[in-house]
């Protein structure tokens, strides 16, 4: 009876290694210190391996699997590194596979087992460093702190030597999301992978039935002010084209994409004309079903100069119509210089650039005509039968004050004459955004 009780106690407690193998171990990260543990029994020498035995050495845990050809082919290299650095280094081969599986593998490949400590059926280290794919290399400093959790290609003689001298190396930190499922779509996992997103674009149908939001958002780089992200919620296809092309079309940043149809657009087919918002309320729902979209694009910092060009290319690829800028002869209202002698536009060189306007006046200080008078005239008259162009040739900054409504072109013309300028009708070759069917 006493013998039976003793036997039951031994079975329940087990060996120290077995007891630790069934513990729930918290995963370690870089900088954490390895706890005092019995790691397992070396199947080559038969000795127990403990973390205490490894102190004072640079340790590399090489996680491998019988299915990992890269792991197996690298074993001779690991053996050579161990021999080169001797007692300063300890490389341990760690696998979840059984000893029998390993023996079958080496016999089948007709390879000799590497002369390195082998931990089979490991759960201790695999719990401390959870991962899905092998090889994985974990470096532990001589003081027992985790230095790197990284890829196997970083395990080289030069890197080992540098680490032993106390240098920190720029290894990539491999930290897996174990339940990540990208077999169906990366889109499903973007929330958890947001730190890895380099660039993207996303086009969806209009979300009118689920969210009452039709904002257009531009995110700009804080250093140079260039656009790095564009987001358009519950917009139309025509709005997206206006966002993509307007800066190139007019030569300045505008918000004409909120009322996108303007006098520099030509709709050369029935499909292209369908882009225009319907005037009859009963047609709106069906039109939104065809033309309602939500869109977002983000480019990396080194590619941000091309965000509008990238958007142009994508829109022409996604939709059945094509938008392109062409030179066309058109009747226009042109801002020109007059022949009045000795007339000069004043310029306040010491003044900070400023622009203000209302229904009855415009005031521009220390700004070029294109960024002040021209841009505001275009925005105020974007639906006239004739576009407005700047033919003054003035590139330097000037001061202008107009006391009139910018939509009253007759009064605008009168005000401009005070500065040796005028607004006249003429024919001119200008940039036009042409829409046609593919």
């Amino acid at each position: 009876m006493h013998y039976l009780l003793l036997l039951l106690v031994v079975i329940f407690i087990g060996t120290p290694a077995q007891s630790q193998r069934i513990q729930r171990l918290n995963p370690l990260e870089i900088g954490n210190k390895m706890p005092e543990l019995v790691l397992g029994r070396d199947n080559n020498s038969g000795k127990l391996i403990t973390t205490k035995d490894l102190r004072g050495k640079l340790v590399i845990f090489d996680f491998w699997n019988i299915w990992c050809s890269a792991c197996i082919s690298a074993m001779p290299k690991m053996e050579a590194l161990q021999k080169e650095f001797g007692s300063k280094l300890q490389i341990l081969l760690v696998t979840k596979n059984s000893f029998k599986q390993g023996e079958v593998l080496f016999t089948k490949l007709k390879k000799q087992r590497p002369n390195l400590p082998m931990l089979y059926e490991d759960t201790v280290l695999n719990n401390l460093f959870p991962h899905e794919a092998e090889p994985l290399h974990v470096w532990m400093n001589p003081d027992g702190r985790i230095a790197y959790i990284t890829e196997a290609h970083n395990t080289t003689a030069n890197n080992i030597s540098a680490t032993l001298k106390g240098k920190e190396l720029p290894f990539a930190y491999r930290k897996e999301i174990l339940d990540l499922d990208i077999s169906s779509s990366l889109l499903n996992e973007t929330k958890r992978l947001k730190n890895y997103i380099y660039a993207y674009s996303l086009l969806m149908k209009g979300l009118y039935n689920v969210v009452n939001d039709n904002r257009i958002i531009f995110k700009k780089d804080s250093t140079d002010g260039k656009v790095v992200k564009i987001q358009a919620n519950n917009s139309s296809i025509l709005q997206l084209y206006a966002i993509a092309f307007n800066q190139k079309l007019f030569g300045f940043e505008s918000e004409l994409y909120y009322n996108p149809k303007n006098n520099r657009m030509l709709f050369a087919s029935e499909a292209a004309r369908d882009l225009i918002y319907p005037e009859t309320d009963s047609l709106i729902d069906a039109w939104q079903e065809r033309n309602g979209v939500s869109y977002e694009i983000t480019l990396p910092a080194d590619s941000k100069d091309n965000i509008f060009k990238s958007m142009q290319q994508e829109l022409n690829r996604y939709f059945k119509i094509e938008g392109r800028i062409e030179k066309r002869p058109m009747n226009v209202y042109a801002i020109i210089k007059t022949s009045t002698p000795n007339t000069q536009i004043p310029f306040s060189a010491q003044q900070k650039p400023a622009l203000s306007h209302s229904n009855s006046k415009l005031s521009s200080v220390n700004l070029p005509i294109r960024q002040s008078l021209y841009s505001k005239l275009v925005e105020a008259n974007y639906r006239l039968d004739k576009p407005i162009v700047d033919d003054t040739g003035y590139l330097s900054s000037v001061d202008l004050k107009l006391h009139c409504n910018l939509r009253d072109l007759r009064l605008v013309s009168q005000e401009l004459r005070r500065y040796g300028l005028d607004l006249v009708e003429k024919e001119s070759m200008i940039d036009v955004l042409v829409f046609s069917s593919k």
Side-chain angles (χ1 to χ4, degrees), residues 225-275:
K226 291 181 178 178
V227 177
V228 294
K229 178 181 177 180
I230 300 170
Q231 180 180 342
N233 304 320
N234 284 341
S235 297
S236 69
I237 296 173
L238 188 57
Q239 279 183 303
L240 297 188
Y241 271 101
I243 293 168
F245 283 95
N246 272 6
Q247 190 167 356
K248 184 176 181 182
L249 186 64
F250 295 110
F252 64 89
E253 290 187 26
S254 76
E255 294 190 359
L256 291 180
Y257 41 78
Y258 279 108
N259 298 295
K261 184 178 179 298
N262 63 65
N263 47 26
R264 286 203 182 203
M265 290 181 173
L266 293 179
F267 299 89
S269 70
E270 188 62 35
R273 285 187 285 275
D274 186 53
L275 299 177

Side-chain angles (χ1 to χ4, degrees), residues 155-423:
T155 302
T156 65
N158 287 339
N159 288 336
I160 291 171
S161 180
T163 302
L164 289 171
K165 292 175 183 177
K167 294 182 180 179
E168 289 190 14
L169 301 172
F171 293 166
Y173 180 14
R174 184 168 143 191
K175 187 176 181 181
E176 295 184 26
I177 303 173
L178 298 181
D179 60 343
L180 192 70
D181 180 14
I182 59 173
S183 59
S184 59
S185 170
L186 284 171
L187 187 63
N188 294 335
E189 298 289 353
T190 49
K191 186 173 182 179
R192 293 195 291 176
L193 295 174
K194 62 182 180 180
N195 293 332
Y196 296 89
I197 295 175
Y198 181 68
Y200 69 89
S201 68
L202 176 67
L203 178 67
M204 306 175 71
K205 292 181 70 65
L207 306 174
Y208 306 100
N209 296 330
V210 295
V211 60
N212 184 23
D213 187 333
N214 61 350
R215 288 177 297 170
I216 296 172
I217 302 167
F218 293 86
K219 182 179 178 182
K220 296 186 177 183
D221 189 294
S222 58
T223 56
D224 59 18
K226 291 181 178 178
V227 177
V228 294
K229 178 181 177 180
I230 300 170
Q231 180 180 342
N233 304 320
N234 284 341
S235 297
S236 69
I237 296 173
L238 188 57
Q239 279 183 303
L240 297 188
Y241 271 101
I243 293 168
F245 283 95
N246 272 6
Q247 190 167 356
K248 184 176 181 182
L249 186 64
F250 295 110
F252 64 89
E253 290 187 26
S254 76
E255 294 190 359
L256 291 180
Y257 41 78
Y258 279 108
N259 298 295
K261 184 178 179 298
N262 63 65
N263 47 26
R264 286 203 182 203
M265 290 181 173
L266 293 179
F267 299 89
S269 70
E270 188 62 35
R273 285 187 285 275
D274 186 53
L275 299 177
I276 303 169
Y277 194 84
E279 296 181 2
T280 305
D281 289 348
S282 62
L283 301 177
I284 291 175
D285 284 353
W287 181 87
Q288 283 186 336
E289 180 65 25
R290 297 190 304 273
N291 289 279
V293 289
S294 290
Y295 175 80
E296 187 169 304
I297 181 172
T298 296
L299 291 188
D302 57 356
S303 303
K304 59 193 174 187
D305 286 342
N306 298 318
I307 193 165
F308 293 105
K309 184 177 180 181
S310 295
M311 190 173 176
Q312 293 164 17
Q313 293 169 343
E314 287 193 341
L315 298 181
N316 283 337
R317 182 168 63 249
Y318 291 149
F319 301 117
K320 294 179 181 179
I321 50 97
E322 181 179 24
R324 63 190 180 279
I325 290 181
E326 297 180 0
K327 289 284 187 184
R328 292 288 183 94
M330 293 192 72
N331 291 323
V332 301
Y333 293 105
I335 309 170
I336 62 167
K337 291 187 294 183
T338 64
S339 58
T340 307
N342 303 322
T343 303
Q344 292 184 344
I345 303 178
F347 170 44
S348 305
Q350 304 304 316
Q351 293 287 328
K352 184 178 180 180
L355 177 65
S356 64
H357 66 97
S358 66
N359 290 335
S360 59
K361 65 180 180 180
L362 177 141
S363 175
S364 170
V365 177
N366 195 6
L367 283 170
I369 285 177
R370 182 163 290 270
Q371 295 178 21
S372 55
L373 171 66
Y374 166 68
S375 65
K376 295 309 172 187
L377 276 176
V378 168
E379 289 175 353
N381 299 282
Y382 69 96
R383 286 200 169 174
L384 281 180
D385 58 341
K386 301 179 184 69
I388 293 175
V389 299
D390 174 21
D391 279 352
T392 63
Y394 274 118
L395 299 178
S396 57
S397 296
V398 297
D399 296 348
L400 292 170
K401 291 185 185 295
L402 275 63
H403 300 281
C404 66
N405 189 319
L406 296 184
R407 292 182 179 178
D408 191 331
L409 299 187
R410 182 182 62 82
L411 291 179
V412 169
S413 179
Q414 289 179 7
E415 290 287 298
L416 291 179
R417 289 171 196 153
R418 296 190 291 112
Y419 297 98
L421 302 173
D422 205 347
L423 189 65

